Amino acid sequence: MRKFILLSAGFILLTLMHRCAVPPGPERGKAPTVRIGIVEAKENVTFTATDAFDVSTHDGKFLLQGNSGDKCQVYIEGAIPAEVKYQLVVKTAYDEQMAQQIQSDVNSKGLPAVIKRQRHRMVRNGRLGNFPVYKVCLQRIFNNEISAKDYRQQISSLLWTSVQPFIDKLPDGIMRLRNLANGEEVESRHYLRVSGNGFNLDVRVGEGYHFENTETRSYTGLLNFVIDRFGKVTVVNSLPIEKYLSGVVASEMNPAAPIEAVKSQSVAARGYTLSRLNMQHPLDPFDLCDEVHCQVYGGTRRANENTQRAVRETSGKVLMNENNICETYYLAVCGGHTENNENVWDGKSLPYLRGIFDLPEEQVTVPEDFLFNERNVRRWIEEKPRVYCNLDLIETPSYLEYAKKYFRWEVKHTQYDMQRIIRAKSGKDVGQIIDIIPRERGISGRLIKVEIKGTAGSFVIEKELEIRKALSDNYLYSSCFVVDRVIYDGGVPSLFVIKGAGWGHGVGMCQTGAAVMAMKGSNYRDILE
């Protein structure tokens, strides 16, 4: 039995919304806000207002009022990037006495340690707020990541640590806004706040992936223009969490999907948001980005009646495990089997993120380790099993047609292209590519370690995303694949044929499988379970 429950958090998260409301009176009950990075590290940013708006400093000092239709450009004068340094972190504790005990244990090993008291935005005891945390770190500070990793390796027999960057000196500069409609300009050090009911921005989306393009996205609420650690302009959209979720759900799952599937997406997105605060972008002035690195937030324009209903009817609901909010990951098409979280990302294994077959448990007829075997993986990919996300088994609705090409796919690279891609993505030149050898697979058949063998040497690539990146101009759809070689004279392959299954990292809820389950009558609780 899986050790998690779906908790209707009306007595917890809805209470937290009330407790987090700072103003008294009519504002009581206002939902907590999240900060979403929508544009990152640009020399300048242009936006168009679709309603009246105000510009102010970070502390609320009024600077300018604009009108609907005004086009404005924001840029920085005299930008100075932040100074980033690195530390080795032993553990983060939520209790000062526990942190002191950890510090004492580390000191006893001859490694001087310090406690850094910080405040992190997180959910604790059912409340979202800024809570104290105590980070136990080694005293030694490093100027670059390489030297930090070298020292980490030197002491690995004594102590486990992780390398973490931190900002030692904040960025600086003057943020300027020019209203291109009338030439009016205002400025503020570090930060400008623009508030209104509607803004359009051209946003680059899907960078590095096969769907990379530029979109015009619409936003509402508060746009914060911040000097980031690179000394560039970053735009942060601050808005109530449930309104943010309406935009996420509409971006991550087609609103035409059955309502129970959209509800499952709403709960998963809410849990992901709350569980990953302070985890995804520790050096950035926002909680989550708007891309697949976190979860896609396409602004407010995409939200419709179906997504708003799904968010509203699951309001405050999250998955809980041992009094913690679950990190509810999801992906587009699992290919028939999901993956264990520790095989994809660093960190401890989580009991609710175990790889399972994408079909009812009673229909599983093979052992759990079935996809560790290379012959079985090939059969699995080529024979297309009868799982939920195999859309050839149903009359596919139009909103799911896009997913068909991801269930099973094929990519071909010539010898020249394979050399070029591997050299560009890995920085290693091993001559002509002789073979791509599976060295380790996860429970879903996804590769987590692969050897690249060439005429001038070989090397190993580890981790799911690095493997996908190293073998494609963009990213392979997934790391669950087998490789066939076409070999002519001389024993050197002239063509590599990569046959694969699924799209995405493989961890958590299969969105296509969720939609099919809902079509077959499952409710959102069944899907999440």
Side-chain angles (χ1 to χ4, degrees):
M1 181 179 293
R2 297 188 190 96
K3 299 177 181 177
F4 62 84
I5 58 170
L6 178 66
L7 175 65
S8 176
F11 296 108
I12 295 182
L13 293 184
L14 291 183
T15 301
L16 99 82
M17 291 177 183
H18 289 186
R19 290 178 183 174
C20 283
V22 176
E27 291 297 313
R28 185 171 174 80
K30 182 180 178 182
T33 60
V34 288
R35 303 166 302 169
I36 309 303
I38 57 175
V39 177
E40 298 179 51
K42 300 297 182 184
E43 294 290 342
N44 59 75
V45 176
T46 301
F47 69 88
T48 302
T50 58
D51 204 342
F53 64 95
D54 291 335
V55 181
S56 60
T57 62
H58 72 282
D59 56 359
K61 179 183 176 183
F62 175 79
L63 296 175
L64 176 150
Q65 186 172 57
N67 301 307
S68 176
D70 285 358
K71 189 174 185 178
C72 298
Q73 185 179 69
V74 180
Y75 62 97
I76 304 168
E77 282 188 352
I80 302 174
E83 290 184 13
V84 177
K85 295 190 176 179
Y86 296 82
Q87 61 190 358
L88 297 184
V89 177
V90 181
K91 195 169 185 179
T92 298
Y94 302 114
D95 176 84
E96 189 169 12
Q97 287 186 336
M98 182 181 293
Q100 289 170 349
Q101 181 59 55
I102 296 168
Q103 179 189 31
S104 177
D105 293 343
V106 175
N107 286 337
S108 69
K109 299 177 186 290
L111 297 169
V114 296
I115 298 174
K116 291 189 174 182
R117 187 181 188 275
Q118 301 172 337
R119 296 191 76 84
H120 283 185
R121 196 159 183 258
M122 66 179 73
V123 175
R124 190 185 295 176
N125 299 324
R127 293 197 304 122
L128 175 61
N130 291 309
F131 294 98
V133 297
Y134 304 89
K135 190 173 288 187
V136 183
C137 316
L138 297 191
Q139 194 173 55
R140 185 172 175 180
I141 300 299
F142 302 88
N143 291 323
N144 57 70
E145 187 175 14
I146 293 175
S147 58
K149 286 183 174 179
D150 287 345
Y151 187 67
R152 178 178 185 260
Q153 182 62 34
Q154 291 175 32
I155 64 169
S156 59
S157 61
L158 291 174
L159 186 69
W160 184 92
T161 59
S162 63
V163 176
Q164 293 187 14
F166 68 96
I167 292 178
D168 190 53
K169 185 177 180 182
L170 292 172
D172 200 4
I174 302 297
M175 189 77 74
R176 297 185 62 85
L177 180 146
R178 180 186 295 126
N179 189 332
L180 301 179
N182 57 26
E184 190 173 2
E185 291 193 30
V186 292
E187 65 179 43
S188 178
R189 199 167 199 89
H190 307 309
Y191 188 106
L192 278 170
R193 174 182 291 175
V194 181
S195 57
N197 290 323
F199 306 98
N200 290 337
L201 281 80
D202 289 337
V203 177
R204 194 69 184 163
V205 301
E207 293 192 55
Y209 289 88
H210 61 282
F211 52 90
E212 182 175 346
N213 67 97
T214 297
E215 291 183 0
T216 299
R217 290 180 170 178
S218 299
Y219 303 93
T220 189
L222 191 61
L223 298 185
N224 296 315
F225 293 80
V226 186
I227 302 178
D228 60 29
R229 68 184 189 275
F230 305 108
K232 308 289 187 182
V233 181
T234 281
V235 187
V236 181
N237 186 199
S238 296
L239 72 168
I241 185 171
E242 298 294 307
K243 191 160 193 174
Y244 160 67
L245 289 172
S246 292
V248 169
V249 172
S251 303
E252 287 283 2
M253 180 173 282
N254 194 307
I259 187 63
E260 294 300 316
V262 186
K263 286 182 179 181
S264 70
Q265 179 64 62
S266 301
V267 176
R270 183 180 295 105
Y272 180 89
T273 301
L274 293 170
S275 67
R276 298 303 294 175
L277 295 175
N278 287 296
M279 303 290 285
Q280 296 294 98
H281 292 271
L283 296 182
D284 294 315
F286 49 83
D287 299 316
L288 301 171
C289 69
D290 65 346
E291 281 290 349
V292 292
H293 174 268
C294 293
Q295 50 189 3
V296 179
Y297 168 58
T300 54
R301 181 179 293 174
R302 291 186 181 180
N304 69 1
E305 184 178 344
N306 212 35
T307 58
Q308 290 171 342
R309 174 190 166 191
V311 172
R312 182 175 64 252
E313 292 184 3
T314 64
S315 179
K317 289 185 170 64
V318 291
L319 287 175
M320 299 289 292
N321 173 249
E322 296 180 353
N323 296 319
N324 293 314
I325 296 175
C326 294
E327 298 178 30
T328 37
Y329 290 94
Y330 49 88
L331 72 152
V333 184
C334 74
H337 201 298
T338 58
E339 187 53 74
N340 294 344
N341 68 287
E342 71 275 11
N343 289 336
V344 176
W345 304 295
D346 292 331
K348 66 180 182 179
S349 63
L350 297 172
Y352 51 85
L353 292 179
R354 302 297 82 202
I356 59 170
F357 286 96
D358 185 35
L359 55 101
E361 193 170 351
E362 63 273 13
Q363 294 182 21
V364 177
T365 58
V366 296
E368 189 178 72
D369 61 357
F370 180 74
L371 293 174
F372 289 145
N373 179 280
E374 288 299 320
R375 183 179 297 177
N376 290 343
V377 172
R378 181 171 291 277
R379 284 178 53 204
W380 174 256
I381 292 173
E382 293 180 347
E383 295 179 8
K384 299 183 179 180
R386 300 180 66 83
V387 293
Y388 285 125
C389 61
N390 183 352
L391 298 176
D392 289 337
L393 302 178
I394 64 170
E395 185 176 337
T396 308
S398 59
Y399 65 84
L400 277 181
E401 278 292 337
Y402 81 96
K404 279 188 172 182
K405 68 179 181 180
Y406 300 118
F407 180 68
R408 293 295 181 269
W409 47 267
E410 182 176 293
V411 175
K412 296 180 180 179
H413 291 311
T414 64
Q415 172 66 231
Y416 172 81
D417 281 338
M418 197 79 266
Q419 284 186 61
R420 173 185 58 79
I421 290 168
I422 289 174
R423 186 166 54 244
K425 292 301 186 72
S426 70
K428 299 181 185 295
D429 187 352
V430 293
Q432 293 179 299
I433 307 302
I434 300 297
D435 204 354
I436 300 169
I437 306 169
R439 291 302 184 199
E440 187 177 348
R441 291 187 185 270
I443 196 169
S444 70
R446 282 169 171 78
L447 282 163
I448 54 179
K449 189 178 292 186
V450 66
E451 181 182 355
I452 308 298
K453 185 178 180 181
T455 55
S458 63
F459 68 99
V460 173
I461 305 172
E462 298 187 31
K463 290 297 181 184
E464 173 266 353
L465 189 61
E466 290 302 311
I467 292 169
R468 292 167 59 192
K469 176 182 176 183
L471 298 177
S472 172
D473 281 317
N474 296 307
Y475 289 89
L476 290 178
Y477 293 149
S478 88
S479 70
C480 181
F481 61 82
V482 294
V483 181
D484 290 330
R485 300 171 298 155
V486 178
I487 302 176
Y488 294 123
D489 294 339
V492 174
S494 60
L495 185 69
F496 295 87
V497 182
I498 303 175
K499 300 175 182 178
W503 176 23
H505 48 67
V507 178
M509 184 183 76
C510 174
Q511 293 167 306
T512 301
V516 174
M517 286 183 71
M519 289 169 59
K520 292 177 178 291
S522 296
N523 63 40
Y524 76 99
R525 292 173 178 264
D526 297 330
I527 294 168
L528 292 169
E529 178 68 26

